[in-house]
Amino acid sequence: MGVTAAVELVDSSQRDAVLDMVSEVIRRHLWPLAPGGPDGQGWPLGRALDDRLIETAIARVPGVRSVAPVRLFQRSTRGRNWLPVAEDRTGRGLITLSAWQLPELAMLSVGIGSTSSTSLPPGAEGAGNGAGGLAIPVVPELC
């Protein structure tokens, strides 16, 4: 999956630090192992991905004044292009997972503003140019 998000800042002089914290909060929220996940116990198998829960996690970051609606993306059936997740009539994006699945965050874009990007940033792996790639999970180092 891919996620784009945008925030408005309380203090623009803290831009880089706040954007880094927002990126880290999204990664941690979607992380399948403790201390990640929505409850700090890791991501429950088969739990649906809800853009509103990601927005709530972002809103808790110090220095964020407001959060633009988060946009979710999935790979196309051929696996080469990113497609936006269809929203329901309330504007909510939801990705349902099978009982054995966990989320895999393969693309993340965080910016400043009142709207999240409706497409991938230029140069993102697989972004509309037909370029394939190999997703390799990266495990963060923890002390």
Side-chain angles (χ1 to χ4, degrees):
M1 68 169 293
V3 176
T4 62
V7 297
E8 290 189 25
L9 304 175
V10 172
D11 180 7
S12 61
S13 68
Q14 300 295 317
R15 178 186 186 278
D16 291 339
V18 172
L19 291 180
D20 286 344
M21 283 189 286
V22 168
S23 295
E24 181 60 30
V25 161
I26 294 169
R27 285 186 189 96
R28 181 167 292 197
H29 180 78
L30 298 171
W31 190 251
L33 303 174
D39 303 325
Q41 302 299 313
W43 193 271
L45 285 171
R47 181 175 180 172
L49 296 159
D50 187 339
D51 63 358
R52 303 286 166 90
L53 294 178
I54 297 171
E55 289 172 19
T56 302
I58 294 169
R60 293 183 182 132
V61 173
V64 171
R65 181 183 315 264
S66 65
V67 181
V70 168
R71 298 192 199 281
L72 302 177
F73 295 84
Q74 286 184 303
R75 293 270 190 187
S76 67
T77 54
R78 293 187 177 177
R80 293 193 178 265
N81 297 320
W82 289 98
L83 302 172
V85 171
E87 297 175 347
D88 64 13
R89 58 183 167 83
T90 65
R92 178 180 228 145
L94 193 68
I95 299 175
T96 56
L97 298 177
S98 298
W100 50 269
Q101 287 182 310
L102 292 168
E104 178 189 1
L105 182 63
M107 188 280 301
L108 176 61
S109 174
V110 178
I112 304 292
S114 58
T115 59
S116 299
S117 177
T118 57
S119 62
L120 292 179
E125 184 267 319
N129 58 7
L134 176 62
I136 301 173
V138 178
V139 179
E141 292 184 30
L142 300 175
C143 295

